[in-house]
Amino acid sequence: MSFKTKLAKAACGSAVKLATQKISMATGLTLSRPTGVFVAITNRCNLRCKQCDVPFLAGRTKELSTEQWKHILARLNEWLGTAVLRWSGGEPFLRSDMLELIKYSSNLGMLNSVITNGQLIDKELAEQIVDAETFNVSLSIDGMQKGHDFVRGDGTFEKVADAARFLKHVRREKKSDMRIIVKTTIMETNLDELPELVEWVRRHGLNGISISPLMENLATDSPDAKWFEKSPLWVKDLQKLDRVVDWLIQNAGPKSPILNPKAYLAGIKEYFRDPTVPKPPDFTCHVGHDHFRIDPNGDVYLCPLITSALVGNVAQNSPEMVWKSPEARKSRNEILTCRKNCLVACQYERSFAENFDFFLKLFE
């Protein structure tokens, strides 16, 4: 099955699932199925980025084996059909079986997206990624060289830029439809560089850039509601923020590499002014009816920001059983009443028109 056929099937399935999710949210019945399956396959990482604490989670849980993951992937496919799996870490390519799992999932008919810091991708690995029929590689790039290297380490921008070039070259050489996307986090240290990064993505012929604001770290057992006041990466120059966000909004659209909807970008201004301001009373969060996040040991959460709400484990029960469990229903109800002002890009609820525009950009 070709990429475009899989993507078309995934888009149609997503539209049906979104409609069912609306009914589920209105009735309280568990009629919906997730449109997003997020697999954090490892917490191990080869970098120690200033804005991320995931590596500190490494060692807290045991990672599942290759065969356990294959069993889980087969059951996900039976339940969801052609769905998008979003592999992340840590750094997923630290797992020696990452490509084997992507290939296995691709052969089942699923679309595989992998988020990577790009530091391990040379020409040989790029060829293997394409050969595994990876649908989408998302490279974490936090600004141009100065801003990126400041948070991720000296020389990391050059390596991830090389990774983009290797992937693009192999994609062209093998006539692959694989997408190459940049994911970036808005911080005080890269604010000036965002317009240049957007143009860099366009100039290098990549398929898009997804932008999200700095979020609180999650490895701590004692969350601090005022974490942003202590973060040196928090955006403090609000006038500059407004200018940059206005530029992003002005340059977003159907022919733009910017993948975020304009309404999402506009919300970044208010978020950086005070992330503790709750959502309005009439707001209902869709994540409990949409997301399915699997941790390295198979634990499942519906929301990555409510890590105390474990709803099951897919190494012990089927994904569908976990989704319909009493624990999942309890977590779903908690999420529906949540008013936290979070702007994790993958959690923004796109309208049908925004979803159509998003899939169209990936389809081109």
Side-chain angles (χ1 to χ4, degrees):
M1 191 187 304
S2 70
F3 277 142
K4 290 189 176 180
T5 301
K6 286 183 182 179
L7 184 58
K9 288 185 68 175
C12 292
S14 179
V16 172
K17 289 171 187 173
L18 285 169
T20 310
Q21 287 163 13
K22 295 291 186 184
I23 297 171
S24 296
M25 290 174 70
T27 63
L29 301 173
T30 311
L31 304 174
S32 61
R33 293 181 295 165
T35 53
V37 178
F38 300 82
V39 184
I41 193 165
T42 182
N43 289 327
R44 292 176 289 128
C45 192
N46 52 336
L47 296 182
R48 294 295 181 269
C49 305
K50 289 181 169 65
Q51 78 280 22
C52 176
D53 62 356
V54 169
F56 296 108
L57 296 170
R60 291 192 185 183
T61 56
K62 185 178 179 181
E63 296 180 8
L64 299 179
S65 69
T66 305
E67 292 309 311
Q68 285 176 303
W69 277 116
K70 285 183 176 179
H71 180 69
I72 292 166
L73 292 171
R75 299 187 86 171
L76 281 169
N77 181 246
E78 289 172 5
W79 178 38
L80 299 176
T82 302
V84 180
L85 296 182
R86 297 175 174 89
W87 301 91
S88 66
E91 171 49 50
F93 288 115
L94 285 176
R95 283 211 37 147
S96 60
D97 60 356
M98 189 68 257
L99 291 163
E100 181 182 349
L101 292 174
I102 291 174
K103 182 64 175 177
Y104 180 82
S105 176
S106 296
N107 288 340
L108 290 173
M110 305 183 86
L111 289 164
N112 289 269
S113 169
V114 58
I115 302 173
T116 171
N117 59 38
Q119 303 302 296
L120 301 176
I121 299 178
D122 53 14
K123 190 173 187 296
E124 181 182 359
L125 182 54
E127 290 175 346
Q128 293 172 345
I129 290 170
V130 172
D131 289 341
E133 299 182 28
T134 309
F135 165 64
N136 162 13
V137 176
S138 293
L139 298 169
S140 298
I141 305 182
D142 291 316
M144 300 304 292
Q145 184 169 2
K146 181 181 177 182
H148 180 90
D149 282 5
F150 177 80
V151 294
R152 291 184 177 265
D154 291 344
T156 55
F157 179 82
E158 184 177 349
K159 281 191 175 182
V160 73
D162 284 343
R165 284 190 284 270
F166 287 133
L167 290 166
K168 184 183 173 186
H169 172 75
V170 174
R171 177 178 67 177
R172 183 176 61 249
E173 192 177 61
K174 292 180 176 284
K175 297 181 171 60
S176 167
D177 289 321
M178 183 183 73
R179 281 24 180 180
I180 306 168
I181 290 172
V182 167
K183 285 188 174 291
T184 190
T185 300
I186 298 181
M187 295 172 276
E188 178 77 10
T189 50
N190 67 4
L191 198 54
D192 286 326
E193 300 174 349
L194 293 180
E196 186 180 355
L197 181 60
V198 171
E199 294 305 321
W200 185 89
V201 169
R202 190 198 308 272
R203 189 169 65 252
H204 284 78
L206 308 186
N207 296 98
I209 177 170
S210 177
I211 299 165
S212 57
L214 182 71
M215 298 293 294
E216 62 186 300
N217 287 330
L218 304 175
T220 177
D221 294 323
S222 303
D224 184 353
K226 295 292 185 178
W227 65 272
F228 57 96
E229 294 180 352
K230 303 168 186 174
S231 172
L233 302 177
W234 186 255
V235 174
K236 299 174 181 63
D237 189 336
L238 298 179
Q239 289 186 335
K240 184 191 293 184
L241 172 73
D242 290 349
R243 288 196 301 271
V244 172
V245 171
D246 286 344
W247 185 94
L248 293 171
I249 293 171
Q250 184 178 354
N251 286 274
K255 298 298 181 181
S256 167
I258 300 171
L259 298 176
N260 306 80
K262 293 185 178 184
Y264 173 87
L265 294 171
I268 292 174
K269 291 183 181 181
E270 294 306 315
Y271 171 81
F272 273 115
R273 279 167 167 79
D274 187 354
T276 66
V277 174
K279 296 283 190 181
D282 60 348
F283 171 80
T284 53
C285 182
H286 69 107
V287 168
H289 290 272
D290 180 46
H291 281 46
F292 196 81
R293 175 189 166 89
I294 309 175
D295 273 4
N297 65 344
D299 283 349
V300 175
Y301 301 88
L302 303 184
C303 174
L305 300 181
I306 308 178
T307 54
S308 60
L310 174 66
V311 301
N313 185 291
V314 287
Q316 300 168 5
N317 293 295
S318 73
E320 184 175 11
M321 186 179 296
V322 171
W323 180 255
K324 295 179 178 179
S325 68
E327 292 82 5
R329 285 196 293 273
K330 181 180 177 182
S331 180
R332 209 167 275 125
N333 290 334
E334 182 180 353
I335 291 168
L336 281 174
T337 59
C338 179
R339 297 291 177 268
K340 185 178 179 66
N341 186 12
C342 66
L343 275 180
V344 180
C346 59
Q347 293 179 224
Y348 173 79
E349 186 174 16
R350 298 173 186 266
S351 66
F352 280 102
E354 289 169 341
N355 267 299
F356 179 79
D357 179 53
F358 177 73
F359 276 107
L360 190 63
K361 284 184 176 182
L362 293 181
F363 197 83
E364 290 175 342

